[in-house]
Amino acid sequence: MDISSEKEKNNVDAKMHAAETVISQRHDNISQVLNSGYALKELGLYEEALKEYQKLFSLEYPKIKILIKILACLIKFHSHDKVIQKIQEMMDTHGIKGPEKDQMNHMLGFEMKKRGYEELARDLLKLAHHKENQGGTTGSKYDYLIKEKLVNLEQLQTALALSKKQKKSVEQVLIEKFKIDKEQVGKSLSKYSGCKFKSFDPDFPVPYELISNLKQSFLLNELWIPLNWDKNFVEIIIDDPKNLIKTDRIRALVKTKQLIFSIGTIEDIEAYINHFFENKKREDSAASMVFNDTFDMSPNIEPEKEYRTSVRENLVDESSGQIVRFVDQVIITAYRDKISDIHIEPSSVTKKTLIRFRRDGVCQEYISVPNTMARAILSRIKIMSNLDIAERRLPQDGKIKFRRKGVPEFELRVATLPTTGGFEDAVLRILAKAGAMPIEEMGMTDRNLAILKKIIVQPYGLILVVGPTGSGKTTTLHAALGYINKPGIKIWTAEDPVEITQAGLRQVEVKPKIGLDFARVMRAFLRADPDVIMIGEMRDFETASTGIEASLTGHLVLSTLHTNSAPETITSLLDMGLNALNFSDSFRGVLAQRLVRKLCTDCREPYHPSEEEFNEIIEQFGRDSLNKSDIKYSADLNLYKPKGCEKCNQSGYSGRMGIHEMMEGTPLIKKMIKKQTPTDELFKQAAKEGMYTLEQDGILKVLQGFTDMNEVRRVCID
Ligand SMILES: [Zn+2]
């Protein structure tokens, strides 16, 4: 089979996978298994993928499809016979028997034929139609010898025992001890493998071109070596041409249109390897040191190492197709599942690299892969985001513009951090490209929305949105800007980074590394005739004071701050050293915000809270504030709790909404700011004027059935 048909097979797999992901979106469990199985397979972790796919037997998934997936894994690490045997066993285990089994074998046979595994297809079809496995192609290496009565089973067993003891191949024992003609042994091997048998020939010309990139120790461990070539093919001698792992690896290393395999005894192959390298060494030392190790692309694997480790070590290269596809797969899956962040976390404790997704604000495990791949994954991500691959000791940040067929173009912000054990973590945030959210859809109470609409249309002044990272500040600012974004108004924004784009806005991304910080962009804006300025964050005195100046000279300024509550924001800006008089003049309002997960409306469960539970909630809300609301305990009062269904990934929650604390710059509040009144007094006054705290706003939303108390408590811990 040549490389193009191999590609064809991968294509078939990828297409099937894409189609199935769509179909199975209703069954989150199934799609999870499919996704991780596919990812593991892409990584070459076929055994792990197989285990993953086996889970499908307990889910409602067509058995034939499961078997096809399992078969595709089995052929990667088992010999032909073993594949057939394993798949039959699997059918037995899962109660597939009689005519159903025949049918499965029949269908599997056709699937394998489609993928170019002719031999496997033939044997499966034979099984389906109860035909004897005739001919030497599926039996053991020694079928011919037994059939010709050159050796019996007992002798073979003795030969096997001797071969282990003397560390010789069974073939060699048969030749030396049982005096079986080497030609006959060769004939048996040839019949078994369908390949030509080759003996060692010391006069065989050394194929220097072919072995220049290969290491002797590697080949002695692998037991194969190129013998011969022309423009159409490369001939390889190998101990078992039916070992698909080996032959696939050879295909990956020896890039040629066609490989022709010959079979040889282990001793003869070793003789070829040693012979070729003896000669090569002589040649090498005669030549100068021009061809040094930089040309050595082959993995340097010591013979002692276990086979499986060597397969894995092979993967550790960021440019390998598997790593490239794996990273793409992770990103695309995250994008499709509306994940906000991807966390890549190698652990020196578990020896695994965990990949977690943050969905609706909460992290969930997606997949874990061996640590041997961590560096390659990190390097790949660094390449994609134009970071320095060689720098592993310092944090870095960058951006990926992700363009792939089948998904709309989007961007990711990337941060890498050195972690213990010499590893690096990476966090990738998927930047939403959705544009601004309508101001009415943010889940604000009528009072808060009315205030926001009132202050956002003012010709000048300062409006702040505050809260910790990930509390939706930028979304709110863009929603507010969207409300006033009209051709008659010039709006400049400075953001780090630009996460939401809106037509009509002029958006600048700050780059502190080159000195383009908020303060500098802000000064430039003032020369660029703005009506409205949005400044991503008031991190320092200079930005804050420039912002206030701008807001006093006929511009509306919007910004964010990392403060917890609305009244606290005032105090912390004054603490920064801002002029209280200027600030109070410019101040229009401050909105503190958090995001809570919304209960999944498909599965949330209504329940009638006990009076005790209700009182507890009221206590938390504050009895004093109660008269402002119309909350009462009654027999038909219902609250909701999360349950979990397929639609919400069994989490019980789906989507998020804001909870808010809106303090308006009323004349009285402005007066208090001028006098630098302490936070608690500002708070009391604001409450008197109708402000609900974040927690109170959250409780109102609990009583309306949007969310639950756990969520409100989770985000309101200060
Ligand atoms: Zn649900």
PDB file of all heavy atoms in Angstrom, residues 381-394:
ATOM      1  N   ILE A 381       1.855  24.674  19.867  1.00  0.00           N
ATOM      2  CA  ILE A 381       1.044  25.835  20.217  1.00  0.00           C
ATOM      3  C   ILE A 381       1.873  27.118  20.099  1.00  0.00           C
ATOM      4  O   ILE A 381       1.409  28.139  19.619  1.00  0.00           O
ATOM      5  CB  ILE A 381       0.455  25.667  21.632  1.00  0.00           C
ATOM      6  CG1 ILE A 381      -0.629  24.588  21.589  1.00  0.00           C
ATOM      7  CG2 ILE A 381      -0.122  26.965  22.166  1.00  0.00           C
ATOM      8  CD1 ILE A 381      -1.089  24.111  22.941  1.00  0.00           C
ATOM      9  N   LYS A 382       3.149  27.020  20.535  1.00  0.00           N
ATOM     10  CA  LYS A 382       4.008  28.199  20.442  1.00  0.00           C
ATOM     11  C   LYS A 382       4.238  28.598  18.984  1.00  0.00           C
ATOM     12  O   LYS A 382       4.249  29.781  18.660  1.00  0.00           O
ATOM     13  CB  LYS A 382       5.350  27.928  21.115  1.00  0.00           C
ATOM     14  CG  LYS A 382       5.280  27.968  22.628  1.00  0.00           C
ATOM     15  CD  LYS A 382       6.656  27.667  23.169  1.00  0.00           C
ATOM     16  CE  LYS A 382       6.684  27.686  24.673  1.00  0.00           C
ATOM     17  NZ  LYS A 382       7.990  27.182  25.149  1.00  0.00           N
ATOM     18  N   ILE A 383       4.432  27.604  18.141  1.00  0.00           N
ATOM     19  CA  ILE A 383       4.630  27.907  16.721  1.00  0.00           C
ATOM     20  C   ILE A 383       3.390  28.591  16.170  1.00  0.00           C
ATOM     21  O   ILE A 383       3.465  29.607  15.485  1.00  0.00           O
ATOM     22  CB  ILE A 383       4.937  26.620  15.921  1.00  0.00           C
ATOM     23  CG1 ILE A 383       6.345  26.121  16.254  1.00  0.00           C
ATOM     24  CG2 ILE A 383       4.810  26.861  14.419  1.00  0.00           C
ATOM     25  CD1 ILE A 383       6.660  24.745  15.724  1.00  0.00           C
ATOM     26  N   MET A 384       2.229  28.050  16.522  1.00  0.00           N
ATOM     27  CA  MET A 384       0.980  28.627  16.017  1.00  0.00           C
ATOM     28  C   MET A 384       0.784  30.058  16.495  1.00  0.00           C
ATOM     29  O   MET A 384       0.163  30.863  15.823  1.00  0.00           O
ATOM     30  CB  MET A 384      -0.214  27.778  16.464  1.00  0.00           C
ATOM     31  CG  MET A 384      -0.283  26.423  15.792  1.00  0.00           C
ATOM     32  SD  MET A 384      -1.499  25.357  16.602  1.00  0.00           S
ATOM     33  CE  MET A 384      -2.994  25.828  15.716  1.00  0.00           C
ATOM     34  N   SER A 385       1.295  30.368  17.688  1.00  0.00           N
ATOM     35  CA  SER A 385       1.060  31.713  18.222  1.00  0.00           C
ATOM     36  C   SER A 385       2.312  32.588  18.158  1.00  0.00           C
ATOM     37  O   SER A 385       2.387  33.598  18.851  1.00  0.00           O
ATOM     38  CB  SER A 385       0.520  31.614  19.654  1.00  0.00           C
ATOM     39  OG  SER A 385       1.257  30.674  20.403  1.00  0.00           O
ATOM     40  N   ASN A 386       3.255  32.202  17.315  1.00  0.00           N
ATOM     41  CA  ASN A 386       4.466  33.003  17.097  1.00  0.00           C
ATOM     42  C   ASN A 386       5.278  33.277  18.354  1.00  0.00           C
ATOM     43  O   ASN A 386       5.806  34.374  18.532  1.00  0.00           O
ATOM     44  CB  ASN A 386       4.122  34.364  16.469  1.00  0.00           C
ATOM     45  CG  ASN A 386       3.817  34.201  15.006  1.00  0.00           C
ATOM     46  OD1 ASN A 386       4.469  33.390  14.319  1.00  0.00           O
ATOM     47  ND2 ASN A 386       2.828  34.932  14.530  1.00  0.00           N
ATOM     48  N   LEU A 387       5.345  32.300  19.240  1.00  0.00           N
ATOM     49  CA  LEU A 387       6.159  32.490  20.437  1.00  0.00           C
ATOM     50  C   LEU A 387       7.516  31.818  20.232  1.00  0.00           C
ATOM     51  O   LEU A 387       7.722  31.096  19.255  1.00  0.00           O
ATOM     52  CB  LEU A 387       5.453  31.884  21.655  1.00  0.00           C
ATOM     53  CG  LEU A 387       4.090  32.477  21.983  1.00  0.00           C
ATOM     54  CD1 LEU A 387       3.477  31.776  23.184  1.00  0.00           C
ATOM     55  CD2 LEU A 387       4.204  33.976  22.261  1.00  0.00           C
ATOM     56  N   ASP A 388       8.412  32.041  21.174  1.00  0.00           N
ATOM     57  CA  ASP A 388       9.753  31.479  21.092  1.00  0.00           C
ATOM     58  C   ASP A 388       9.723  30.043  21.636  1.00  0.00           C
ATOM     59  O   ASP A 388       9.484  29.835  22.820  1.00  0.00           O
ATOM     60  CB  ASP A 388      10.680  32.367  21.947  1.00  0.00           C
ATOM     61  CG  ASP A 388      12.114  31.882  21.903  1.00  0.00           C
ATOM     62  OD1 ASP A 388      12.369  30.848  21.244  1.00  0.00           O
ATOM     63  OD2 ASP A 388      12.967  32.542  22.521  1.00  0.00           O
ATOM     64  N   ILE A 389       9.982  29.063  20.753  1.00  0.00           N
ATOM     65  CA  ILE A 389       9.897  27.669  21.207  1.00  0.00           C
ATOM     66  C   ILE A 389      11.004  27.357  22.198  1.00  0.00           C
ATOM     67  O   ILE A 389      10.833  26.548  23.096  1.00  0.00           O
ATOM     68  CB  ILE A 389      10.095  26.611  20.084  1.00  0.00           C
ATOM     69  CG1 ILE A 389       9.576  27.049  18.750  1.00  0.00           C
ATOM     70  CG2 ILE A 389       9.462  25.310  20.471  1.00  0.00           C
ATOM     71  CD1 ILE A 389       9.649  25.873  17.756  1.00  0.00           C
ATOM     72  N   ALA A 390      12.144  27.982  22.007  1.00  0.00           N
ATOM     73  CA  ALA A 390      13.303  27.646  22.832  1.00  0.00           C
ATOM     74  C   ALA A 390      13.153  28.172  24.254  1.00  0.00           C
ATOM     75  O   ALA A 390      13.745  27.638  25.185  1.00  0.00           O
ATOM     76  CB  ALA A 390      14.556  28.225  22.197  1.00  0.00           C
ATOM     77  N   GLU A 391      12.342  29.201  24.436  1.00  0.00           N
ATOM     78  CA  GLU A 391      12.177  29.776  25.770  1.00  0.00           C
ATOM     79  C   GLU A 391      11.161  28.976  26.563  1.00  0.00           C
ATOM     80  O   GLU A 391       9.967  29.012  26.282  1.00  0.00           O
ATOM     81  CB  GLU A 391      11.714  31.240  25.653  1.00  0.00           C
ATOM     82  CG  GLU A 391      11.530  31.924  26.998  1.00  0.00           C
ATOM     83  CD  GLU A 391      12.770  31.844  27.872  1.00  0.00           C
ATOM     84  OE1 GLU A 391      13.724  32.624  27.627  1.00  0.00           O
ATOM     85  OE2 GLU A 391      12.792  30.981  28.770  1.00  0.00           O
ATOM     86  N   ARG A 392      11.678  28.231  27.556  1.00  0.00           N
ATOM     87  CA  ARG A 392      10.757  27.401  28.336  1.00  0.00           C
ATOM     88  C   ARG A 392      10.727  27.817  29.796  1.00  0.00           C
ATOM     89  O   ARG A 392      10.019  27.240  30.594  1.00  0.00           O
ATOM     90  CB  ARG A 392      11.186  25.925  28.269  1.00  0.00           C
ATOM     91  CG  ARG A 392      11.183  25.377  26.864  1.00  0.00           C
ATOM     92  CD  ARG A 392      11.150  23.858  26.868  1.00  0.00           C
ATOM     93  NE  ARG A 392      11.225  23.356  25.521  1.00  0.00           N
ATOM     94  CZ  ARG A 392      12.359  23.038  24.904  1.00  0.00           C
ATOM     95  NH1 ARG A 392      13.507  23.156  25.540  1.00  0.00           N
ATOM     96  NH2 ARG A 392      12.350  22.600  23.665  1.00  0.00           N
ATOM     97  N   ARG A 393      11.544  28.821  30.138  1.00  0.00           N
ATOM     98  CA  ARG A 393      11.636  29.162  31.552  1.00  0.00           C
ATOM     99  C   ARG A 393      10.862  30.406  31.928  1.00  0.00           C
ATOM    100  O   ARG A 393      10.749  30.753  33.088  1.00  0.00           O
ATOM    101  CB  ARG A 393      13.104  29.343  31.941  1.00  0.00           C
ATOM    102  CG  ARG A 393      13.938  28.087  31.779  1.00  0.00           C
ATOM    103  CD  ARG A 393      15.382  28.449  31.643  1.00  0.00           C
ATOM    104  NE  ARG A 393      15.540  29.442  30.578  1.00  0.00           N
ATOM    105  CZ  ARG A 393      16.606  30.192  30.390  1.00  0.00           C
ATOM    106  NH1 ARG A 393      17.618  30.088  31.206  1.00  0.00           N
ATOM    107  NH2 ARG A 393      16.654  31.054  29.403  1.00  0.00           N
ATOM    108  N   LEU A 394      10.375  31.132  30.914  1.00  0.00           N
ATOM    109  CA  LEU A 394       9.635  32.356  31.197  1.00  0.00           C
ATOM    110  C   LEU A 394       8.229  32.286  30.610  1.00  0.00           C
ATOM    111  O   LEU A 394       8.014  31.631  29.593  1.00  0.00           O
ATOM    112  CB  LEU A 394      10.367  33.557  30.577  1.00  0.00           C
ATOM    113  CG  LEU A 394      11.725  33.917  31.188  1.00  0.00           C
ATOM    114  CD1 LEU A 394      12.412  34.982  30.354  1.00  0.00           C
ATOM    115  CD2 LEU A 394      11.563  34.386  32.630  1.00  0.00           C
TER     116      LEU A 394
END
